[in-house]
Amino acid sequence: ATQKMVQETLEPLGVPLLQLPAIKLVDPKKGMVPTVVTLHSVITGVGKLRGMYPQLVSFFVDAKAEYIFNFWHTTLAFFLRSHPPPPGVRISNVAPQFALSSLDVRDLGFWEIVGKSTIDAMAALIAQTGPCLSLSARPQPNSLPPILEVPAAVTSFSSRLILCYFLAQPDAVRLERLLAQFSISGVEIHCFTTAPLTPPAGRPLALESHAKQRALFKHYFDRCTGATRRRSTHRSGPGGGRPPSRPTVLPRRLPRRLQGSSARPATRPSGRPSAAACPS
């Protein structure tokens, strides 16, 4: 989590906060990082994590959590595997990545298989800590539908609004070029990336570009009735392509028990947050 995300999203909760080393999979500007970078991140991250074991034990003891929700936090899973919580504490793992295990490698290219293998290895580690649920648009065992609440029906087709929130800058650039080539009339498109897109020479941007900021995104998001999220799983490389990506349709507002990012605040039976852990 970036420092800005911590300040805007986690600190207002007013609960103890613990930041764990994260496994680097994505570069905000370049997309998926090479395998060697991920492996180096795993080695250094696990080394840092082991040095934090006494702090982690104290954190969970003080939190007295009865439920631990892990949203694809690999280093948290590594800790929970070697330090399982006391009997009665339930661990649930929820992430769209679990659905990728069903992809047939015969339909993938070399770099796509490398990317899927990385995801599968992480999924196997997380699965050792508790039951896993995927978010999938296709009916699969142990999965949740991506649409959890039916959005309100669209009654007017005027002033349509599209919000795009990209993890990596290149995807946003590709969208802007497509919109410049194939314009959409009557639609207001806002794109959020790590840094605003640079206008191409000789023409303005084909969309409204913004740096990621929670307040502005929420301002526009409150006008939406539904959202789609494209999860890219490709690992780029010489001659490499990308595996088929499926859009994930999300409700405008998720049930509170499933809202959040890669790590959830632990909650007591009263529902009051007692602690939060996030990747650094």
Side-chain angles (χ1 to χ4, degrees), residues 136-175:
S136 175
R138 299 178 178 179
Q140 298 188 51
N142 301 318
S143 67
L144 295 173
I147 299 179
L148 301 178
E149 296 176 358
V150 179
V154 176
T155 57
S156 173
F157 288 89
S158 61
S159 301
R160 301 302 300 276
L161 173 67
I162 296 178
L163 298 186
C164 306
Y165 193 93
F166 288 99
L167 189 63
Q169 206 89 351
D171 290 330
V173 173
R174 280 191 288 270
L175 172 64

Side-chain angles (χ1 to χ4, degrees), residues 4-253:
K4 185 176 181 180
M5 181 186 298
V6 171
Q7 293 174 348
E8 292 184 346
T9 306
L10 299 179
E11 289 182 356
L13 294 175
V15 298
L17 178 64
L18 176 66
Q19 288 187 266
L20 305 179
I23 305 301
K24 187 175 181 65
L25 290 174
V26 178
D27 182 277
K29 294 184 177 180
K30 299 180 181 179
M32 297 295 290
V33 300
T35 306
V36 64
V37 175
T38 299
L39 291 176
H40 179 265
S41 175
V42 170
I43 295 172
T44 56
V46 170
K48 292 178 182 178
L49 183 72
R50 285 173 172 160
M52 297 175 63
Y53 275 4
Q55 183 182 358
L56 266 67
V57 171
S58 176
F59 177 83
F60 282 105
V61 169
D62 293 341
K64 298 181 175 63
E66 293 190 5
Y67 297 90
I68 299 176
F69 293 95
N70 184 355
F71 285 71
W72 202 256
H73 199 325
T74 313
T75 47
L76 175 61
F78 189 90
F79 169 76
L80 293 175
R81 185 184 64 170
S82 58
H83 293 73
V89 177
R90 299 180 182 180
I91 301 175
S92 295
N93 305 292
V94 183
Q97 290 90 331
F98 292 120
L100 298 179
S101 61
S102 62
L103 290 177
D104 192 336
V105 295
R106 293 173 295 183
D107 299 329
L108 306 178
F110 173 77
W111 290 106
E112 296 159 356
I113 294 175
V114 172
K116 181 181 183 302
S117 299
T118 303
I119 296 296
D120 287 348
M122 298 173 73
L125 170 64
I126 296 174
Q128 295 178 38
T129 65
C132 301
L133 293 173
S134 68
L135 299 175
S136 175
R138 299 178 178 179
Q140 298 188 51
N142 301 318
S143 67
L144 295 173
I147 299 179
L148 301 178
E149 296 176 358
V150 179
V154 176
T155 57
S156 173
F157 288 89
S158 61
S159 301
R160 301 302 300 276
L161 173 67
I162 296 178
L163 298 186
C164 306
Y165 193 93
F166 288 99
L167 189 63
Q169 206 89 351
D171 290 330
V173 173
R174 280 191 288 270
L175 172 64
E176 194 280 331
R177 291 173 180 171
L178 284 171
L179 290 174
Q181 185 177 2
F182 308 100
S183 62
I184 306 176
S185 61
V187 176
E188 181 183 349
I189 301 177
H190 292 262
C191 177
F192 289 82
T193 48
T194 303
L197 300 181
T198 302
R203 66 171 177 85
L205 288 171
L207 45 70
E208 298 292 333
S209 178
H210 310 281
K212 292 179 180 178
Q213 45 188 306
R214 181 173 180 269
L216 183 60
F217 184 83
K218 185 178 184 300
H219 167 74
Y220 288 114
F221 189 72
D222 285 342
R223 294 167 50 189
C224 297
T225 58
T228 63
R229 179 180 59 186
R230 176 186 179 275
R231 297 198 64 91
S232 176
T233 60
H234 73 277
R235 185 175 297 275
S236 58
R242 65 188 66 227
S245 57
R246 296 187 291 271
T248 299
V249 181
L250 300 175
R252 178 172 175 268
R253 300 188 184 278

